[in-house]
Amino acid sequence: MLDNTPRTFIGATTFQVTGMTCDHCQRAVTEEISRIPGIRAVAVDLATGSVTVTAAQPVDRADVAHAVGEAGYTLIP
């Protein structure tokens, strides 16, 4: 993550993810991120490579990056 980016977030935050090209990619990323405690919603836009994550409680950005990695993709810091 960038040094000036807060480590945690609440509410909606959009991340850029590389490598997503199909519905399977969308499902895999959504499922992994949804497992993080406090996540309320995940919206993947394949056309832009963006993932908007909505959290109801503080969520660590590193946890989102790890979940994206578990799905087989890379979060761009």
Side-chain angles (χ1 to χ4, degrees):
M1 296 292 124
L2 300 174
D3 290 338
N4 60 347
T5 302
R7 182 179 170 109
T8 61
F9 68 95
I10 299 175
T13 300
T14 301
F15 299 91
Q16 288 301 121
V17 176
T18 61
M20 299 184 303
T21 60
C22 64
D23 288 341
H24 173 272
C25 303
Q26 182 177 13
R27 280 191 307 275
V29 169
T30 299
E31 288 174 9
E32 289 295 333
I33 294 174
S34 293
R35 291 183 177 140
I36 300 169
I39 297 298
R40 183 161 289 176
V42 179
V44 176
D45 184 335
L46 293 175
T48 63
S50 66
V51 178
T52 301
V53 179
T54 304
Q57 65 189 44
V59 171
D60 193 316
R61 292 171 189 275
D63 291 341
V64 176
H66 179 75
V68 169
E70 286 293 311
Y73 307 96
T74 304
L75 188 141
I76 300 170

